[in-house]
């Protein structure tokens, strides 16, 4: 991501944007409606305690069945991915394989070996080294660049002009050696086992790296052939430029869902959308909205696309089936993205209200959605408020129609007498 911020400079220059790439990325954060609102949606659902749709069905299934003990039996993955086992099932009836005492059941070098203590700091220390050394390396490298080019000696200038790739290489190499020393000292891995795991870890990253390189190449081709200039000249003068952020968000959602790559989507759309906005308008706010729409829409595929790395890692990190995970999560994600496009990008782009009002309305609409359609998994007999209102209106209409039918079946003398009685009662 840091390397990508540096690559934005070329696209911002095409749009006549004088801001540093890092500053531009920070200013687009409020306009990333989908990821910001998506962070609040699970929190709102958890605080209210209600769910709806396939997620509610999965929770009801998990709460009504006995859960298998991880220590004694292997968990059963249900249709929705909830860890459970039948109430009357014995552990031996599950699809578990008998284990031999001398058999190594680990799936490979990336799986922990049996009998080896799993200590949290073996993962936390290398991770913290990557974070700290990367930031320090960026500051030191950026400081040298700022001194050589006579730029402002500020932290923002350091980060915006540094070589992030070099800092990442330094931090990754140092973290690898620290992890090696820690595992050898604790006698968890031998040097050969460590190298096997390291090679397989690199192999796991090869595919997303190739996808990212291909996306960068395609983005460079789009910029070199000046595709944005051709698109800008093809758009009629009557086209409203305020609609570009909405279209950018829709394109980013579709492309990220199809490719499963957020960085790939950004690399393709930025050289096309940002110069286009720069040619059509000089409003800085609209440029930030367009960038935020691309950044936010590109995350959509990472959340719900079946081929996205994040989706696959989610299912691997817990006993969750991929179809069940997608089935239970997809309604939530599509509701959030629909709310953010309507109450966020569309209304803010056409200046109906500010971006922060748009974020507040998006969150408020999700609260109303949960209150209307949600149910508590702990109290499934309580019907959703929407169903209660619908049935109440239906009963009221039915009672009203039956009352009119009854009055219509009476003779006129009876109706007149009832009217006179009503009038006398009012006078009294």
């Amino acid at each position: 991501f840091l390397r990508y911020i540096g690559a934005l400079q070329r696209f911002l220059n095409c749009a006549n944007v004088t801001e540093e790439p890092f500053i531009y990325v920070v200013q687009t954060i409020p306009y990333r409606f989908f990821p910001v609102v998506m962070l609040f949606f699970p929190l709102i659902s958890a605080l209210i305690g209600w769910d709806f749709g396939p997620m509610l069905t999965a929770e009801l299934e998990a709460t009504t069945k006995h859960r298998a003990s991880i220590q004694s039996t292997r968990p059963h993955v249900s249709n929705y991915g909830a860890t459970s086992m039948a109430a009357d099932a014995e552990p031996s009836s599950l699809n578990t394989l008998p284990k031999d005492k001398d058999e190594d059941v680990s799936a490979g070098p990336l799986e922990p070996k049996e009998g080896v203590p799993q200590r949290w700091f073996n993962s936390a220390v290398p991770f913290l080294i990557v974070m700290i050394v990367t930031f320090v390396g960026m500051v030191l490298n950026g400081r040298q660049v700022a001194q050589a080019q006579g730029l402002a000696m500020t932290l923002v200038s350091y980060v915006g002009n540094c070589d992030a790739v070099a800092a990442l290489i330094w931090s990754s190499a140092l973290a690898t050696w620290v992890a090696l020393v820690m595992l050898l000292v604790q006698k968890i891995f031998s040097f050969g086992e460590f190298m096997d795991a390291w090679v397989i870890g690199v192999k796991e990253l090869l595919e997303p790296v190739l996808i990212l390189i291909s996306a960068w190449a395609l983005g460079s081709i789009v910029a070199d052939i000046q595709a944005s200039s051709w698109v800008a000249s093809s758009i009629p003068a009557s086209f409203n430029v305020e609609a570009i952020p909405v279209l950018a968000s829709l394109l980013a959602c579709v492309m990220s869902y199809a490719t499963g790559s957020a960085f790939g989507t950004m690399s393709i759309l930025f050289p096309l959308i940002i110069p286009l906005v720069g040619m059509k308008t000089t409003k800085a706010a609209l440029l930030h909205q367009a960038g935020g729409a691309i950044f936010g829409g590109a995350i959509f595929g990472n959340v719900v696309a079946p081929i996205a790395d994040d989706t696959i890692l989610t299912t691997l990190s817990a006993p969750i089936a991929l179809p069940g995970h997608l089935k239970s999560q997809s309604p939530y994600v599509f509701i959030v993205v629909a709310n953010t496009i309507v109450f966020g990008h569309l209304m803010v782009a056409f200046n109906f209200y500010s971006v922060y009002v748009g974020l507040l309305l998006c969150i408020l609409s999700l609260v109303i959605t949960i209150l209307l359609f949600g149910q508590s998994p702990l109290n499934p007999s309580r019907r959703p408020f929407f169903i209660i209102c619908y049935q109440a209106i239906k009963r009221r209409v039915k009672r009203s129609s039956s009352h009119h039918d009854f009055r219509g079946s009476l003779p006129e003398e009876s109706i007149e007498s009832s009217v006179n009685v009503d009038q006398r009662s009012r006078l009294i």
Side-chain angles (χ1 to χ4, degrees):
F1 181 74
L2 297 173
R3 177 68 181 88
Y4 188 80
I5 291 178
L8 284 176
Q9 184 67 62
R10 180 183 180 186
F11 312 137
L12 296 178
N13 291 337
C14 295
N16 298 321
V17 177
T18 58
E19 294 174 338
E20 295 181 356
F22 181 78
I23 300 298
Y24 175 82
V25 171
V26 172
Q27 290 181 339
T28 61
I29 291 177
Y31 298 98
R32 304 180 196 181
F33 288 99
F34 173 74
V36 173
V37 177
M38 194 67 202
L39 290 174
F40 281 93
F41 189 61
L43 179 61
I44 294 171
S45 178
L47 292 176
I48 297 177
W50 292 358
D51 287 290
F52 58 88
M55 185 69 75
L56 176 64
T57 306
E59 287 202 52
L60 292 174
E61 180 182 338
T63 54
T64 55
K65 294 182 179 180
H66 294 287
R67 293 179 179 148
S69 175
I70 298 177
Q71 290 78 9
S72 59
T73 60
R74 184 172 299 176
H76 165 67
V77 180
S78 65
N79 293 333
Y80 287 94
T83 303
S84 61
M85 62 180 294
D88 56 347
E90 296 294 331
S92 59
S93 65
L94 299 175
N95 295 325
T96 56
L97 297 176
K99 297 181 182 179
D100 186 38
K101 293 183 179 179
D102 298 329
E103 180 185 3
D104 186 8
V105 295
S106 62
L110 297 183
E111 297 293 332
K113 297 187 297 184
E114 286 191 348
V116 175
Q118 300 179 21
R119 301 183 176 98
W120 63 270
F121 53 81
N122 288 330
S123 174
V125 171
F127 185 75
L128 289 174
I129 289 176
V130 170
M131 295 179 59
I132 296 173
V133 176
T134 298
F135 181 76
V136 173
M138 290 172 57
V139 171
L140 295 178
N141 182 269
R143 188 171 184 274
Q144 293 179 353
V145 174
Q147 287 179 344
Q149 299 181 2
L151 302 176
M153 303 300 290
T154 61
L155 181 62
V156 174
S157 177
Y158 298 161
V159 176
N161 296 279
C162 69
D163 187 354
V165 175
L168 287 171
I169 292 176
W170 300 337
S171 62
S172 300
L174 181 59
T176 300
W177 285 105
V178 170
L180 173 60
V181 172
M182 292 176 63
L183 296 176
L184 291 178
V185 169
Q186 300 173 70
K187 298 181 179 180
I188 294 177
F189 271 173
S190 65
F191 183 78
E193 290 173 333
F194 181 87
M195 292 306 301
D196 290 339
W198 188 84
V199 171
I200 291 179
V202 173
K203 185 175 67 175
E204 292 291 331
L205 293 175
L206 185 60
E207 182 179 354
V209 168
L210 291 177
I211 294 175
L212 184 58
I213 292 174
S214 300
W216 279 342
L218 182 58
S220 299
I221 293 173
V222 170
D224 290 338
I225 65 175
Q226 298 183 354
S228 58
S229 301
W230 177 80
V231 173
S233 61
S234 303
I235 294 177
S238 59
F239 180 77
N240 197 336
V241 71
E242 278 79 10
I244 293 180
V246 182
L247 297 177
S249 179
L250 292 173
L251 282 175
C253 289
V254 173
M255 190 172 296
S256 63
Y257 186 86
T259 62
S261 173
F263 285 107
T265 302
M266 298 174 195
S267 300
I268 295 173
L269 290 182
F270 258 102
L272 184 64
I273 298 297
I274 299 303
L276 175 63
V277 176
M279 296 175 189
K280 290 294 184 179
T281 183
T282 58
K283 296 179 180 179
L286 201 59
L287 285 167
H288 297 155
Q289 291 178 35
I294 297 174
F295 278 126
I299 304 299
F300 174 78
N302 279 23
V303 178
V304 75
I307 60 174
D309 294 337
D310 293 348
T311 305
I312 296 173
L313 289 175
T314 301
T315 59
L316 293 178
S317 61
I320 303 175
L322 179 59
H325 171 64
L326 295 175
K327 184 177 181 180
S328 61
Q329 182 177 252
S330 295
Y332 285 6
V333 178
F334 282 100
I335 287 175
V336 171
V337 76
N339 280 330
T340 55
I341 289 177
V342 174
F343 297 107
H345 295 292
L346 184 63
M347 297 300 180
V348 173
F350 285 92
N351 297 318
F352 283 94
Y353 41 70
S354 66
V355 58
Y356 298 103
V357 174
L359 288 171
L360 183 61
L361 289 179
C362 289
I363 296 173
L364 182 61
S365 66
L366 295 180
V367 174
I368 295 174
T369 301
I370 294 177
L371 294 177
L372 286 177
F373 301 99
Q375 276 182 278
S376 173
L378 302 178
N379 186 18
S381 61
R382 192 199 75 81
R383 294 170 296 176
F385 184 73
F386 172 79
I387 301 297
I388 295 175
C389 294
Y390 171 75
Q391 292 179 348
I393 295 173
K394 186 177 180 180
R395 287 194 300 268
R396 183 68 179 270
V397 172
K398 186 177 181 179
R399 190 183 303 115
S400 177
S401 61
S402 63
H403 178 68
H404 286 297
D405 293 341
F406 175 73
R407 288 179 61 89
S409 63
L410 294 176
E412 295 182 0
E413 294 82 1
S414 300
I415 297 176
E416 292 177 357
S417 61
S418 63
V419 171
N420 293 331
V421 171
D422 291 340
Q423 292 176 351
R424 286 196 297 272
S425 64
R426 292 193 188 96
L427 291 174
I428 294 172

